[in-house]
C-alpha cells in the first residue's frame, strides 16, 4: 500500500525537526514548503495539521508555525515495535545490554497471561536507544510454549516483533496498555542517563494472538523528557447518566 503523499511530506518535515531544529524554532511558510517539496498547498496543510495533532508543532495566528516538542511521540492506537516507531519518527534505533533469560512468572504475569501450572516465561531485557541516546528500559515477557528454542537461539534482528513474525509466525492482533507516571529508581536513572527521581513513564502492555490467547506482557520505563504518548479519541459515551 502506497503511503499518502501528505504523510510522506510530514515524515520529511519531521526528520528536519528532529535533526536540525529545536523547540520554539519557526517552520518555513506553507508557500516555502510547497516549493521545497514540489507538492500542492493542500498537501502541505494536511502534513502540518497532522504534526499539530501529534503535538510536534503549533500554529500561532499571525506569527507562523513553531516547533512545539522534539519528544518522540508514540501512537498508542496501533501495535508497533520500538524499531518501527523510531524509523517512523526519523530516528535510528539501537539496543544495548540485551539479555534473554527464563523467569519465574509473578502472580500478575500468571493472571494477565492465563498461564498454566509450570508454564515457562522468557524475558527479553533491553535498553533502547534513539540516535544513540538511551530512552527506555524494556522487558518483554514471552510465553515459551509459542516460541520453542527461542531461549537457545535468541534473535538477530533489531525488532523483536519482526523476529517473531519471520521465525515463529507470531502475529500480534490486539493489545491493552496501562500508562502511569512515577519517579525513576536509582537503577533506572543510571541506565537511562537521567537524575535519580526524575519523572518517567511506566507502560505495561499485554498483547494477544488472533485467537485471543494472551502471548506477551511488556514492561517499559521511558524518559518523560524525551517520550510521550499520543491517543486519538472520537465520540462521547452518551449512555452514562450525568448527575
Amino acid at each position: 500500500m502506497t503511503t499518502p503523499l501528505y504523510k510522506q511530506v510530514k515524515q520529511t518535515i519531521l526528520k528536519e525537526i528532529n535533526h536540525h531544529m529545536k523547540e520554539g524554532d519557526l517552520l518555513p511558510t506553507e508557500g516555502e514548503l510547497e516549493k521545497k517539496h514540489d507538492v500542492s498547498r493542500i498537501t502541505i496543510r494536511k502534513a502540518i495539521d497532522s504534526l499539530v495533532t501529534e503535538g510536534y508543532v503549533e500554529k500561532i495566528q499571525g506569527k507562523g508555525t513553531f516547533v512545539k516538542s522534539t519528544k518522540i511521540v508514540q501512537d498508542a492506537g496501533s501495535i508497533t515495535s520500538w524499531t518501527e516507531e523510531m524509523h517512523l519518527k526519523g530516528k535510528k534505533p539501537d539496543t544495548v545490554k540485551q539479555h534473554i533469560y527464563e523467569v519465574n512468572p509473578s502472580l500478575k504475569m500468571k493472571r494477565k497471561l492465563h498461564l498454566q501450572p509450570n508454564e515457562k516465561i522468557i524475558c527479553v531485557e533491553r535498553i533502547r536507544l534513539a540516535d544513540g541516546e538511551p530512552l527506555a528500559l524494556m522487558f518483554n515477557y514471552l510465553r515459551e510454549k509459542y516460541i520453542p528454542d527461542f531461549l537457545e537461539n535468541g534473535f538477530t534482528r533489531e525488532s523483536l516483533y519482526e523476529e517473531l513474525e519471520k521465525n515463529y509466525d507470531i502475529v500480534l492482533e490486539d493489545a491493552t496498555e496501562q500508562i502511569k507516571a512515577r519517579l525513576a529508581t536509582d537503577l533506572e536513572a543510571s541506565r537511562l542517563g537521567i537524575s535519580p527521581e526524575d519523572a518517567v513513564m511506566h507502560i505495561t502492555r499485554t498483547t494477544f494472538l488472533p485467537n485471543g490467547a494472551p502471548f506477551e506482557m511488556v514492561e517499559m520505563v521511558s524518559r518523560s523528557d524525551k517520550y510521550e504518548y499520543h491517543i486519538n479519541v472520537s465520540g462521547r459515551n452518551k449512555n452514562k447518566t450525568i448527575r
Side-chain angles (χ1 to χ4, degrees):
M1 183 181 295
T2 303
T3 303
L5 184 56
Y6 85 91
K7 288 188 176 181
Q8 297 178 37
V9 174
K10 183 191 82 170
Q11 290 303 322
T12 302
I13 296 173
L14 187 54
K15 287 181 181 179
E16 181 72 16
I17 290 173
N18 286 330
H19 294 146
H20 303 291
M21 303 182 77
K22 63 182 184 298
E23 192 167 336
D25 282 354
L26 178 66
L27 262 64
T29 65
E30 289 183 352
E32 291 169 338
L33 290 171
E34 182 181 352
K35 292 179 181 178
K36 180 178 180 179
H37 297 283
D38 193 23
V39 295
S40 68
R41 184 66 61 90
I42 191 169
T43 297
I44 292 297
R45 285 178 179 168
K46 288 184 69 176
I48 295 298
D49 286 345
S50 182
L51 290 171
V52 170
T53 299
E54 294 182 13
Y56 288 108
V57 301
E58 63 177 337
K59 291 182 177 179
I60 299 179
Q61 187 67 32
K63 293 186 177 181
T65 303
F66 296 83
V67 176
K68 182 178 179 182
S69 174
T70 54
K71 292 182 179 181
I72 294 172
V73 181
Q74 167 78 43
D75 181 3
S78 60
I79 301 175
T80 55
S81 70
W82 172 271
T83 302
E84 292 166 339
E85 197 65 36
M86 293 307 104
H87 283 311
L88 286 172
K89 306 308 182 188
K91 300 285 188 178
K92 181 181 181 300
D94 204 354
T95 300
V96 295
K97 296 184 178 178
Q98 175 175 291
H99 302 288
I100 305 174
Y101 50 91
E102 187 177 306
V103 298
N104 292 320
S106 65
L107 290 176
K108 177 182 178 181
M109 219 176 291
K110 290 178 180 179
R111 185 178 69 253
K112 284 186 173 291
L113 296 178
H114 301 172
L115 301 181
Q116 299 298 317
N118 301 319
E119 186 172 342
K120 295 180 180 179
I121 292 293
I122 295 172
C123 177
V124 179
E125 176 185 344
R126 295 167 289 173
I127 300 178
R128 310 311 305 272
L129 286 70
D131 289 344
E133 186 174 25
L135 294 191
L137 305 178
M138 188 173 292
F139 301 83
N140 297 74
Y141 298 99
L142 315 170
R143 296 178 69 176
E144 192 270 344
K145 64 182 288 185
Y146 293 106
I147 49 173
D149 302 324
F150 183 87
L151 185 61
E152 292 77 15
N153 298 333
F155 65 99
T156 57
R157 294 178 173 85
E158 179 64 31
S159 169
L160 172 60
Y161 285 179
E162 182 182 357
E163 185 82 21
L164 294 173
E165 291 168 356
K166 299 293 185 182
N167 288 359
Y168 298 94
D169 293 324
I170 297 290
V171 178
L172 303 175
E173 181 78 10
D174 294 297
T176 60
E177 287 190 341
Q178 294 176 314
I179 306 169
K180 65 180 180 180
R182 61 171 174 80
L183 300 180
T185 65
D186 289 344
L187 180 60
E188 290 166 351
S190 174
R191 291 184 175 181
L192 292 175
I194 58 179
S195 298
E197 297 193 349
D198 274 356
V200 294
M201 288 193 300
H202 183 188
I203 299 108
T204 303
R205 170 191 284 184
T206 305
T207 58
F208 299 87
L209 301 174
N211 65 1
F215 166 73
E216 169 203 42
M217 194 175 87
V218 183
E219 298 273 356
M220 186 172 82
V221 177
S222 60
R223 292 173 52 173
S224 62
D225 64 329
K226 295 289 184 179
Y227 203 81
E228 66 182 48
Y229 260 54
H230 173 255
I231 302 172
N232 280 322
V233 180
S234 62
R236 238 176 37 85
N237 187 347
K238 298 181 180 180
N239 295 324
K240 292 182 179 180
T241 303
I242 301 176
R243 297 181 184 276

